[in-house]
Amino acid sequence: DDDDDEGRNRTFSVSPDSQQCYCEVQMPCGLLIAVSKSDICVFQADAVVNSTNEDLKLIGGLSLAMLNAAGHQLQRDCDMYTSRYGKLRPGSAIITEAGRLPCKHVVHAVGPRFSDTDRQTAVQRLSSAITESLNQASKANCTSIAIPAISSGIFGFPLDLCTHTIANAVRDYFENWNRNSLSKVYLVNNDDKTVNAMVQAVEKVFRDMNPRSETPHALSQRHTYRGRGNRGSSNQGGRPERTKGWKNETFNDSESDKYREGERRGSRG
């Protein structure tokens, strides 16, 4: 119990109560990546990403929640874009004002429907949606952006593959983009299962940069996960103790590495 209390009270860079941080890592370029458990509609960042459809109709899920929080102007801005330029394609993104949301901008990103195409194309399109979201935020001179698990809901993208793809896309983007206004990227969700998948993805993709991590306390029975240096931890290496079969649930290491190389060659926008 003492160890559990210690884990919950550890101090990360994201300190507000509504933005519980469970993982953070800093890249050599200075960018901070953090995984936070929060309602993205109230998250404190310059830009937040809305996972939306090709028509930019904010009618369900995260889109509807953002519309309710931001006000009707958010939908009017989206309608103005589609009336002028038409539908968006999967893998693309636009930016609008944020209405009553606490952020400055909303980036509307269209992720792929996993069943609409083959696996590799779906991964490439999700990577492109992340890249375009980062591009839009940078062009608006944002210093921070919050990204949800795009396409992992009704679009059917397997959660572990989704979060791994997002983490890969963030790393690749900032390893190959020198001039950028962004200094913080937050991976955000208010669901323990998704937050845990985000933590595991960041631990894996950024393992050579020594991320500091812990899982939400509610998941302690599912995944034993301690940050580096936690007293009393049975996992001294600070690595996640994954449940049996996790590695093969959605992808394997060689498969994900193959996707990452493909993303580096073809998905930057």
Side-chain angles (χ1 to χ4, degrees), residues 51-103:
S51 180
T52 188
N53 51 54
E54 295 90 335
D55 297 310
L56 295 179
K57 294 299 183 183
L58 313 180
I59 56 176
L62 176 59
S63 290
L64 181 59
M66 283 200 178
L67 177 63
N68 290 337
H72 293 297
Q73 185 60 43
L74 191 64
Q75 182 65 74
R76 287 194 285 268
D77 289 344
C78 291
D79 291 343
M80 185 180 301
Y81 179 91
T82 54
S83 65
R84 182 176 301 178
Y85 301 107
K87 297 180 180 181
L88 292 180
R89 295 175 300 170
S92 58
I94 67 163
I95 193 168
T96 67
E97 297 301 315
R100 296 195 298 264
L101 293 172
C103 56

Side-chain angles (χ1 to χ4, degrees), residues 22-25 33-38 40 130 146-150 152 159-168 186-206 211 213-216 219 222 225 246:
Y22 291 100
C23 180
E24 66 176 22
V25 62
I33 298 108
V35 176
S36 294
K37 183 183 178 185
S38 175
I40 199 169
I130 298 301
I147 302 173
I150 296 172
S152 66
L159 180 58
D160 290 322
L161 181 59
C162 171
T163 55
H164 189 89
T165 300
I166 291 172
N168 266 334
Y186 300 105
L187 305 184
V188 178
N189 200 275
N190 61 359
D191 171 74
D192 282 338
K193 181 179 179 181
T194 304
V195 171
N196 190 57
M198 288 174 164
V199 168
Q200 291 186 356
V202 170
E203 272 283 326
K204 180 175 177 63
V205 172
F206 295 91
S213 309
E214 62 183 31
T215 53
L219 294 182
R222 178 173 178 266
Y225 202 121
W246 179 89

Side-chain angles (χ1 to χ4, degrees), residues 38-56:
S38 175
D39 178 356
I40 199 169
C41 294
V42 298
F43 197 83
Q44 299 293 323
D46 285 351
V48 299
V49 176
N50 172 35
S51 180
T52 188
N53 51 54
E54 295 90 335
D55 297 310
L56 295 179

Side-chain angles (χ1 to χ4, degrees), residues 111-153:
R113 290 174 173 81
F114 194 74
S115 61
D116 280 0
T117 185
D118 63 272
R119 189 183 182 95
Q120 184 171 358
T121 301
V123 168
Q124 290 172 346
R125 287 177 178 174
L126 179 55
S127 296
S128 177
I130 298 301
T131 297
E132 286 303 314
S133 296
L134 297 171
N135 278 336
Q136 293 291 335
S138 179
K139 289 176 182 177
N141 293 315
C142 297
T143 61
S144 57
I145 184 171
I147 302 173
I150 296 172
S151 286
S152 66

Side-chain angles (χ1 to χ4, degrees), residues 169-241:
V170 170
R171 175 166 182 160
D172 288 348
Y173 183 85
F174 287 97
E175 283 184 336
N176 294 281
W177 188 265
N178 295 323
R179 300 179 63 182
N180 199 292
S181 65
L182 290 166
S183 60
K184 295 178 181 178
V185 173
Y186 300 105
L187 305 184
V188 178
N189 200 275
N190 61 359
D191 171 74
D192 282 338
K193 181 179 179 181
T194 304
V195 171
N196 190 57
M198 288 174 164
V199 168
Q200 291 186 356
V202 170
E203 272 283 326
K204 180 175 177 63
V205 172
F206 295 91
R207 60 183 178 270
D208 58 317
M209 299 180 190
N210 300 317
R212 297 190 300 137
S213 309
E214 62 183 31
T215 53
H217 179 64
L219 294 182
S220 61
Q221 298 303 313
R222 178 173 178 266
H223 287 278
T224 302
Y225 202 121
R226 303 291 189 185
R228 285 179 167 80
N230 240 9
R231 293 194 300 272
S233 170
S234 62
N235 184 3
Q236 298 297 325
R239 304 295 299 160
E241 294 178 5

Side-chain angles (χ1 to χ4, degrees), residues 11-31:
T11 301
F12 287 85
S13 296
V14 184
S15 57
D17 290 340
S18 62
Q19 300 183 192
Q20 303 172 60
C21 181
Y22 291 100
C23 180
E24 66 176 22
V25 62
Q26 191 162 33
M27 295 184 65
C29 64
L31 179 83

